[in-house]
Amino acid sequence: MSSSSLATWRRDAPAWARRVIPVVLLVALMWLTEIVDLVLPLSLDQFGIRPRDLGSLPGIVLSPFLHLGFGHLMANTVALLVLGSLLALTTRHLWLVTGGVVLVSGLGVWLLGAPGTVHIGASGVVYGYAAFLAVYGFVSHHLWRALLGVLVILVYGSMIWGVLPLQEGVSWLSHLFGAAAGVGLALWLGRRDRVARR
């Protein structure tokens, strides 16, 4: 696609498509990374987060794109597409929320994770998106966004167990800090948007 045809598509595409496409591209990049990891003899998973290892600080940003096989990736894909699309369609904060959740959840894991472990996967982002959507509508005083938050709680509420160290091999710290980042961002951005609307 040439730059002129891309510019035309951006201008003519429906607003919902322009908002959702970045979410699809993020997930596609995760799938591409997993395919490359499968094809190359070098395991990309080693570039995840190794707690308190200064050399693994880039893993804070890289880890959401790394997964322990296609089963792990598929488990995150549907939730990322649904929750990410809802976030993109109902707010203008997709990139800010994504970046904030990735940094806070990754840094939390890097600081407090068990030594000798490697943390990978986008489940922290999933938890961040879900927590943000659950809280944002109430804080911003938007009725239909608050109703969306209730729906997210009803559908994804069982995820709350994932923030507890109940299952070995699951990065519950990533879930916990991802959810905390989502709530914090919802409180900040929701209040800011409420004031701006007034």
Side-chain angles (χ1 to χ4, degrees):
M1 181 180 284
S2 68
S3 59
S4 60
S5 58
L6 181 60
T8 302
W9 181 86
R10 284 180 178 163
R11 187 181 65 245
D12 297 338
W16 67 266
R18 291 196 300 269
R19 289 186 172 212
V20 168
I21 286 298
V23 179
V24 175
L25 291 176
L26 276 175
V27 174
L29 184 56
M30 293 175 190
W31 277 86
L32 179 62
T33 304
E34 193 58 35
I35 291 169
V36 170
D37 190 35
L38 179 68
V39 172
L40 291 181
L42 174 68
S43 173
L44 297 180
D45 295 347
Q46 66 179 309
F47 299 110
I49 301 170
R50 298 176 185 272
R52 293 170 300 287
D53 178 351
L54 290 174
S56 83
L57 280 173
I60 290 173
V61 175
L62 298 175
S63 62
F65 298 96
L66 306 172
H67 288 82
L68 194 63
F70 289 104
H72 183 203
L73 177 54
M74 180 57 75
N76 284 329
T77 292
V78 175
L80 281 171
L81 288 174
V82 171
L83 296 170
S85 296
L86 288 174
L87 199 160
L89 290 168
T90 58
T91 78
R92 297 188 180 275
H93 304 309
L94 174 67
W95 293 118
L96 185 55
V97 172
T98 302
V101 166
V102 167
L103 292 176
V104 171
S105 64
L107 188 58
V109 169
W110 189 85
L111 288 171
L112 299 176
T117 58
V118 180
H119 298 255
I120 57 174
S123 56
V125 178
V126 171
Y127 273 76
Y129 283 175
F132 180 88
L133 289 167
V135 173
Y136 176 78
F138 294 99
V139 178
S140 64
H141 292 182
H142 274 105
L143 176 60
W144 64 274
R145 288 175 182 161
L147 292 174
L148 175 63
V150 172
L151 180 63
V152 168
I153 292 169
L154 290 174
V155 175
Y156 292 96
S158 62
M159 287 172 48
I160 191 68
W161 300 111
V163 303
L164 301 173
L166 300 176
Q167 188 175 350
E168 191 174 347
V170 173
S171 184
W172 65 275
L173 281 172
S174 175
H175 301 170
L176 176 63
F177 283 104
V183 170
L185 287 162
L187 292 172
W188 171 48
L189 294 170
R191 287 172 184 152
R192 193 185 73 174
D193 291 351
R194 186 178 72 222
V195 170
R197 193 170 69 251
R198 286 175 180 171

